[in-house]
Amino acid sequence: MKNNKVRLTLTLIAVLLLGIVLAGLSAYFYNTNSAYRELFSGSATGLGTVGPESEESLAQRVAFTGKVSMWIFIFITFLQMAALWVGYAVVSSIRNSEDPVKLKLRSLDNAEVFFDVPLYFGLFGTVSAFLVMTFSPQSSRLIAYSSTLIGIIFSLFLRLVLQYPLRRQLVRQDAIEDTTTGASK
């Protein structure tokens, strides 16, 4: 049990570090790479002609909305990473519990909602993108598509890599226990 807590703590630290690295790299690339910056801020073409004094304020507005869009994207991605960790922690606690097999199976059924949380955060990202759309259609599409895609990938990972193998193992153990208790009666 103590080994499980250490493993969960280490994975939480890894997720936090990964989130910090993601935020740092995004900020670095936003400030140094024009192609990356344009993903979030788009380009200011097609806006018509503006006066010389307006060009600077327009550029500042585009830069500001680009940074806000980038931080929204990072926040949503971090939420999905946290949901992935929570799903991992729930499955790990069920796997390592001392409960009987039937109770573990029921607990795994009860934990279904944790496997869908990344999808819900992806939906949250899509709705958030609609709010950004007013300022930056380009970045809103990036946020909407990528948050939905990350949510789908994380949810599939939780279900296929963590939930399914544990459920298969518990169903086999349950069947073995049923045959051995049935044979001894």
Side-chain angles (χ1 to χ4, degrees):
M1 189 66 153
K2 186 176 180 181
N3 190 21
N4 188 40
K5 286 184 181 182
V6 170
R7 186 179 315 128
L8 286 176
T9 303
L10 289 175
T11 58
L12 177 61
I13 290 170
V15 167
L16 290 174
L17 287 175
L18 190 60
I20 291 169
V21 168
L22 171 72
L25 283 175
S26 289
Y28 171 76
F29 285 128
Y30 185 87
N31 291 326
T32 60
N33 187 318
S34 62
Y36 188 80
R37 183 174 35 256
E38 214 170 274
L39 286 174
F40 294 101
S41 59
S43 60
T45 60
L47 295 173
T49 58
V50 293
E53 66 281 349
S54 300
E55 288 180 13
E56 186 175 318
S57 64
L58 181 62
Q60 289 173 347
R61 181 176 164 202
V62 168
F64 176 75
T65 59
K67 282 186 180 180
V68 168
S69 298
M70 179 192 67
W71 286 110
I72 289 171
F73 173 73
I74 290 170
F75 176 71
I76 292 166
T77 304
F78 188 75
L79 281 177
Q80 290 173 323
M81 289 169 51
L84 181 68
W85 180 82
V86 168
Y88 170 78
V90 167
V91 169
S92 182
S93 68
I94 292 170
R95 177 184 291 121
N96 296 320
S97 73
E98 298 295 325
D99 296 333
V101 173
K102 288 191 186 301
L103 183 57
K104 284 184 179 183
L105 276 168
R106 291 187 72 194
S107 297
L108 195 60
D109 288 338
N110 195 36
E112 281 285 321
V113 68
F114 293 106
F115 307 129
D116 292 331
V117 171
L119 290 173
Y120 299 141
F121 284 148
L123 181 61
F124 171 72
T126 301
V127 172
S128 299
F130 287 125
L131 299 173
V132 175
M133 188 178 290
T134 307
F135 305 107
S136 175
Q138 166 122 0
S139 62
S140 70
R141 286 190 301 272
L142 173 76
I143 293 169
Y145 295 146
S146 59
S147 67
T148 303
L149 181 63
I150 292 169
I152 291 168
I153 291 170
F154 283 4
S155 183
L156 278 173
F157 176 81
L158 285 170
R159 289 188 179 279
L160 296 177
V161 175
L162 298 178
Q163 180 195 26
Y164 177 74
L166 179 58
R167 183 181 305 275
R168 187 181 67 211
Q169 174 190 0
L170 292 174
V171 166
R172 284 182 180 170
Q173 286 177 354
D174 187 40
I176 291 170
E177 284 181 6
D178 285 346
T179 57
T180 57
T181 56
S184 64
K185 285 184 182 181

